[in-house]
Amino acid sequence: MKFVRNSREGIRLLETEGQVEAKLKKLDIRLVSPSKPSGNYVPYTMAPPFIYMSGVTPKVDGVLQYKGKVGLDLSKEEGYQAARQCIINQLCALKAVLGDLDRVAGIVKMEGFIQAAPDFYELPYVLNGASDLLVEAFGEKGVHARSAIGVAALPGSAAVEVELIVRYE
């Protein structure tokens, strides 16, 4: 992370592209400004050295991309992609908070909620869409504890919602 001194603004953070973002760029993942919360909550709470991140759904440009129950309306592969998009959205929020994703010291815990058909049991496969991307982006720092939880419904009928606890430097 770099800081610059500007006589008008004082010292300010100069956002940089680090190693993690270079990896994401190779995966053709672009980080954009995070979406605003859709309710009376904040997108994250900082309790140094941890960031507790609210759940996000698989939106692109504010539009929900994967709706319905995995195993009924969506295939497990589509569920995997939905979980992956959730993590892309979490990475956008982390970039906004930290300025540089290289400040992430580790992904501590992930909770994934999958709107699933009553007889769908491949919840871990679906959540691997999120876990795999975290490990691709952060290497060993991306390995985490997690829970894959099947639920009857999610906001907007989203297929997946993902929360994170992140340790940072």
Side-chain angles (χ1 to χ4, degrees):
M1 181 174 0
K2 296 179 183 175
F3 294 91
V4 293
R5 182 175 295 278
N6 178 312
S7 60
R8 188 179 290 171
E9 299 171 15
I11 296 175
R12 67 180 173 87
L13 175 68
L14 177 65
E15 290 192 15
T16 61
E17 180 183 296
Q19 293 178 349
V20 174
E21 285 184 68
K23 289 178 188 177
L24 293 172
K25 200 174 260 185
K26 285 181 183 177
L27 295 170
D28 201 29
I29 295 172
R30 304 288 180 256
L31 300 181
V32 297
S33 296
S35 298
K36 302 282 187 234
S38 57
N40 188 16
Y41 65 94
V42 294
Y44 62 90
T45 299
M46 295 182 84
F50 299 102
I51 302 172
Y52 293 81
M53 303 190 72
S54 295
V56 298
T57 55
K59 291 182 179 178
V60 175
D61 296 326
V63 178
L64 190 59
Q65 298 298 304
Y66 297 90
K67 293 182 183 181
K69 294 186 182 295
V70 180
L72 180 64
D73 306 309
L74 301 168
S75 68
K76 71 179 188 177
E77 291 79 11
E78 290 170 310
Y80 180 100
Q81 291 303 319
R84 183 178 173 89
Q85 184 59 49
C86 289
I87 285 302
I88 291 170
N89 294 341
Q90 290 289 29
L91 293 174
C92 292
L94 268 175
K95 168 72 174 170
V97 174
L98 297 175
D100 183 353
L101 291 179
D102 287 351
R103 291 185 62 198
V104 171
I107 306 299
V108 177
K109 173 84 190 260
M110 177 195 309
E111 288 191 356
F113 303 92
I114 297 114
Q115 182 183 188
D119 61 347
F120 183 77
Y121 303 107
E122 296 188 64
L123 303 172
Y125 176 89
V126 170
L127 201 53
N128 279 344
S131 294
D132 291 349
L133 182 53
L134 287 172
V135 172
E136 284 180 79
F138 295 103
E140 279 297 311
K141 294 178 182 181
V143 176
H144 52 275
R146 76 173 196 190
S147 298
I149 304 159
V151 297
L154 287 171
S157 194
V160 180
E161 181 173 348
V162 175
E163 297 178 359
L164 287 178
I165 300 172
V166 177
R167 189 168 53 85
Y168 69 96
E169 300 172 334

